[in-house]
Amino acid sequence: MFNLYNSFIAMNPHPFFALSQSPALRYGFLLLLALPFFCSLTVSSVWDANEAFYVQTPREMVERGDWLIPYFNDQPRLNKPPLAYWLIAVFYKCFSVSIIWERAVMAALS
């Protein structure tokens, strides 16, 4: 299978296939595609209801010290898997509670 791929690239010297030959170009292209997810993380406020869940729930996890059951406004929030909340809460615990950490983690996960 790998030999078939190499022979296809040898027969079709297209610039797109040159990306697959150089790891530096491949990773640079990947970073270029990921860049829009990290631009303007602080522009808007937290008015969207979904984003409020991802800001408040990890904050309550850190305040309560209860990392097992996520809470939102003192009500258990069990309809979503807690992995994203845990990741954001780790950043809140290590640095501080800030919208930057929530958006950076969510941008990295997307």
Side-chain angles (χ1 to χ4, degrees):
M1 179 81 173
F2 188 69
N3 291 334
L4 180 66
Y5 176 73
N6 285 338
S7 64
F8 178 75
I9 290 176
M11 292 183 333
N12 298 303
H14 191 272
F16 176 75
F17 294 112
L19 281 175
S20 64
Q21 296 298 318
S22 171
L25 283 175
R26 192 176 332 149
Y27 291 126
F29 186 65
L30 184 64
L31 287 174
L32 184 68
L33 291 176
L35 188 64
F37 290 106
F38 293 95
C39 293
S40 304
L41 292 178
T42 61
V43 172
S44 64
S45 62
V46 186
W47 289 107
D48 184 23
N50 290 333
E51 193 171 15
F53 289 131
Y54 286 105
V55 174
Q56 181 67 18
T57 303
R59 187 180 73 80
E60 288 190 23
M61 285 176 126
V62 171
E63 285 180 356
R64 288 175 176 263
D66 183 6
W67 291 70
L68 188 58
I69 300 173
Y71 285 88
F72 179 77
N73 288 340
D74 294 326
Q75 300 292 323
R77 181 162 167 74
L78 304 174
N79 60 340
K80 294 282 186 182
L83 179 63
Y85 301 139
W86 289 337
L87 292 173
I88 295 167
V90 166
F91 278 86
Y92 283 179
K93 185 82 169 170
C94 291
F95 302 106
S96 67
V97 176
S98 172
I99 190 71
I100 297 294
W101 300 120
E102 182 270 332
R103 290 183 179 171
V105 171
M106 295 311 286
L109 288 177
S110 64

